[in-house]
Amino acid sequence: MTTSPPDTHIDHAEALKYWSSISPDVNGMLGGFPQISRIDLQGSANFLAKIRRQSSSTTRPIERAVDCGAGIGRVTKGFLSKVAKVTDIVEPVEKFVDEIRHGESLAPLRKKGLIGEVHRIGLEDWLPQEKGYDLIWNQWCLGHLTDLQLVAYLQRCGLALRDGGFLVIKENMSTDSDEADIFDDVDNSVTRTDKKFRGLFAEGGLRIVQTELQSGFPRELGLFPVRFYALRAAPP
């Protein structure tokens, strides 16, 4: 008996329903593990500093970044707003967008002009401006796209990068013993393997500049491994 690929079970309406039931706070964004937020943000800052240093772009400012699948803007507040002059936000869940636009947590950033455009839309439908971004940050969100949607999204992101820019993906890695993707029927997402991601990146016309695992999460929490990928458009 042939089983259908895990990503074919993704239901965007059900995923939105799930996330709309989640509290708009750090605990909700991190699935009940708010204690990992500081380690997560520091790991992201370290990774970005490393790839910028290795590409000799540390003196070049990040004029515009975008936080994709941003939730309530935890990554924007704790990290991206500290490295980019302006950060746009893409998030489909209405109450999370309301928190970004009107909540107290991001009020100081809004006042300083550090928050740019806020798009209430799913990544599968978002059309970024061509050459609009120096940094496109995706974290714990791409599992809600099917493989075909993800390839199309990656292609659009490749075109949206400015010269010298980076597309960064930070996602859980499948730990399936058969090296298969894992479908989660609670939040309607897929946890992919490293091999699957690499194949989708190639299909999307991207090359890996740097990749590494996030370190420092307490083992006793039993979390998935989390991997960073820094990507740029592959040469034609």
Side-chain angles (χ1 to χ4, degrees):
M1 179 178 174
T2 302
T3 57
S4 53
D7 72 299
T8 62
H9 299 290
I10 292 172
D11 184 321
H12 295 298
E14 287 300 312
L16 276 175
K17 183 178 177 182
Y18 168 81
W19 282 107
S20 295
S21 73
I22 298 300
S23 58
D25 53 30
V26 172
N27 184 64
M29 297 303 96
L30 295 178
F33 299 105
Q35 66 269 40
I36 70 169
S37 187
R38 182 187 61 80
I39 301 168
D40 165 65
L41 295 169
Q42 187 59 57
S44 296
N46 292 345
F47 182 73
L48 180 63
K50 179 185 294 185
I51 61 175
R52 282 171 55 77
R53 185 170 62 248
Q54 291 176 348
S55 66
S56 301
S57 60
T58 51
T59 59
R60 184 169 164 270
I62 299 174
E63 297 287 346
R64 198 167 203 98
V66 58
D67 186 356
C68 298
I72 61 169
R74 180 188 68 89
V75 172
T76 291
K77 178 182 178 181
F79 161 50
L80 293 175
S81 64
K82 299 176 182 179
V83 297
K85 291 186 176 181
V86 176
T87 300
D88 290 349
I89 288 174
V90 183
E91 170 54 49
V93 179
E94 185 174 7
K95 73 176 181 181
F96 296 164
V97 171
D98 287 344
E99 183 67 23
I100 290 165
R101 287 176 171 161
H102 309 295
E104 293 182 7
S105 179
L106 295 188
L109 303 186
R110 294 194 302 268
K111 187 174 182 179
K112 293 177 183 177
L114 295 173
I115 303 294
E117 298 174 358
V118 180
H119 305 274
R120 185 167 73 86
I121 192 171
L123 297 182
E124 68 276 10
D125 296 319
W126 181 53
L127 301 175
Q129 178 187 347
E130 189 167 334
K131 292 193 179 298
Y133 294 103
D134 302 295
L135 177 64
I136 302 175
W137 192 271
N138 302 263
Q139 181 167 346
W140 291 325
C141 60
L142 299 184
H144 290 293
L145 302 185
T146 67
D147 290 354
L148 286 175
Q149 288 173 335
L150 181 50
V151 169
Y153 173 72
L154 293 171
Q155 291 169 339
R156 296 195 298 273
C157 286
L159 295 173
L161 284 177
R162 293 172 177 165
D163 294 341
F166 290 102
L167 167 63
V168 175
I169 290 171
K170 185 176 185 178
E171 291 285 346
N172 290 344
M173 294 287 104
S174 170
T175 54
D176 182 78
S177 58
D178 294 324
E179 298 184 359
D181 297 347
I182 302 170
F183 177 71
D184 184 337
D185 60 4
V186 174
D187 68 356
N188 260 269
S189 70
V190 167
T191 301
R192 295 181 168 93
T193 63
D194 175 59
K195 181 179 179 180
K196 169 60 75 63
F197 269 120
R198 290 172 183 266
L200 297 176
F201 297 156
E203 288 185 54
L206 301 172
R207 63 182 176 90
I208 297 173
V209 177
Q210 178 75 20
T211 183
E212 65 182 48
L213 289 170
Q214 165 77 46
S215 62
F217 290 162
R219 289 188 178 183
E220 60 268 21
L221 296 180
L223 302 174
F224 282 115
V226 176
R227 181 171 286 278
F228 294 94
Y229 301 94
L231 305 160
R232 281 177 169 165

